[in-house]
Amino acid sequence: MPATILLIDDDLAYLELTTMMLTLEGHRVLTATDGRTGWQLMEKERPSVVLLDWNLPEVSGINLLKLLNEKEEQFRPYVIMITARSQMQYKIEGMEAGADDYLVKPFDRKELLARLNVGLRTVQLQKSVAEQARQKTVIEMAVAVAHEIANPLATSFLLHQRLIKNPAIQDNPNLKEDLELICKQLQRIETLVRKAQSIETVVSIPYAQNITMIDLHQGGGEAKKK
């Protein structure tokens, strides 16, 4: 699955070869030769996987991991620490700092790709689980709001029926026309309430700037069956 991969390493030969290899696999590859630039790219580009060296200028790989763990975000990249430090103590330290995997240089190309694919599958699974939870929450909220609207809506229909039968209304064309318009708007609200109550899939559409809203015409059960 094509993804954005960030390489943070001060070994230029390694960066060039690994970039070429991952590009041939169809991935979008970003590179940084120091920790500060790597952090900036991480925040800006939101890569799926980060291949992180231990020893880096300005900010070390371990400190980058600590910074990443301090950020309260729903998604974080899958981090594979790639370093020449093969001793077990470093592996443990790297994993405890927040690395998801640890690969020692020099490594086999197939091993890197296998570990990378595990990372991509993990990230995809996390996003899928989070999206399912989001959809469930949004649907429950839509149904709850629709339920709360349904009761005053029913009352409004009853009041409309009472008013429309009033002789004073019948003798006043303007008031009668206004009540008919109100009835049409109430019917429109009733249609939206039914769609919200039968929503099965959350479909978001742009609303204003960075805000989106649920499209009841696409997400509702009735719309889905058409």
Side-chain angles (χ1 to χ4, degrees):
M1 182 181 299
T4 297
I5 313 296
L6 174 59
L7 312 182
I8 309 177
D9 202 300
D10 58 350
D11 185 337
L12 297 181
Y14 159 80
L15 285 181
E16 183 178 354
L17 290 173
T18 308
T19 297
M20 186 182 303
M21 177 181 68
L22 297 179
T23 301
L24 289 173
E25 293 292 324
H27 299 298
R28 174 177 176 247
V29 183
L30 306 171
T31 63
T33 56
D34 64 82
R36 188 179 302 278
T37 304
W39 178 255
Q40 291 171 349
L41 283 172
M42 231 186 291
E43 288 195 308
K44 179 182 178 182
E45 300 292 341
R46 308 284 179 171
S48 297
V49 177
V50 176
L51 306 184
L52 179 64
D53 187 24
W54 188 300
N55 293 320
L56 291 168
E58 299 193 37
V59 183
S60 70
I62 287 293
N63 285 333
L64 272 182
L65 283 172
K66 292 177 181 178
L67 286 172
L68 190 60
N69 290 332
E70 289 174 359
K71 290 181 69 67
E72 296 181 359
E73 294 188 359
Q74 187 175 13
F75 299 114
R76 51 154 284 176
Y78 187 93
V79 180
I80 304 175
M81 181 157 274
I82 299 181
T83 175
R85 301 188 181 202
S86 60
Q87 295 91 333
M88 181 57 67
Q89 67 186 73
Y90 293 118
K91 293 183 180 180
I92 294 173
E93 185 178 351
M95 300 296 278
E96 288 182 343
D100 298 291
D101 201 350
Y102 194 102
L103 187 59
V104 178
K105 296 178 182 178
F107 51 80
D108 183 80
R109 169 183 172 276
K110 291 182 179 179
E111 183 179 8
L112 173 61
L113 291 178
R115 290 173 184 260
L116 178 64
N117 287 333
V118 168
L120 291 175
R121 288 197 297 271
T122 300
V123 170
Q124 186 61 36
L125 179 60
Q126 290 173 343
K127 290 183 177 180
S128 177
V129 170
E131 176 61 20
Q132 290 175 15
R134 185 187 75 88
Q135 293 243 351
K136 182 175 183 293
T137 300
V138 172
I139 290 173
E140 288 176 349
M141 184 176 294
V143 172
V145 171
H147 174 74
E148 292 300 320
I149 293 174
N151 290 331
L153 181 63
T155 302
S156 298
F157 271 120
L158 289 174
L159 290 173
H160 173 269
Q161 291 299 316
R162 183 183 300 175
L163 288 171
I164 201 71
K165 293 177 182 179
N166 190 310
I169 300 294
Q170 293 294 329
D171 295 337
N172 190 321
N174 291 332
L175 287 178
K176 187 175 180 181
E177 184 178 346
D178 289 343
L179 278 177
E180 289 175 352
L181 180 59
I182 290 173
C183 183
K184 289 181 180 179
Q185 296 306 313
L186 290 174
Q187 289 171 346
R188 182 183 177 190
I189 294 173
E190 182 182 34
T191 299
L192 293 175
V193 166
R194 288 178 178 174
K195 286 184 177 181
Q197 289 174 329
S198 63
I199 190 170
E200 297 176 5
T201 303
V202 177
V203 179
S204 298
I205 57 175
Y207 177 66
Q209 295 182 349
N210 296 326
I211 301 174
T212 59
M213 67 177 183
I214 302 172
D215 187 352
L216 293 177
H217 301 290
Q218 293 189 42
E222 295 178 5
K224 194 173 181 181
K225 294 175 183 177
K226 291 181 180 180

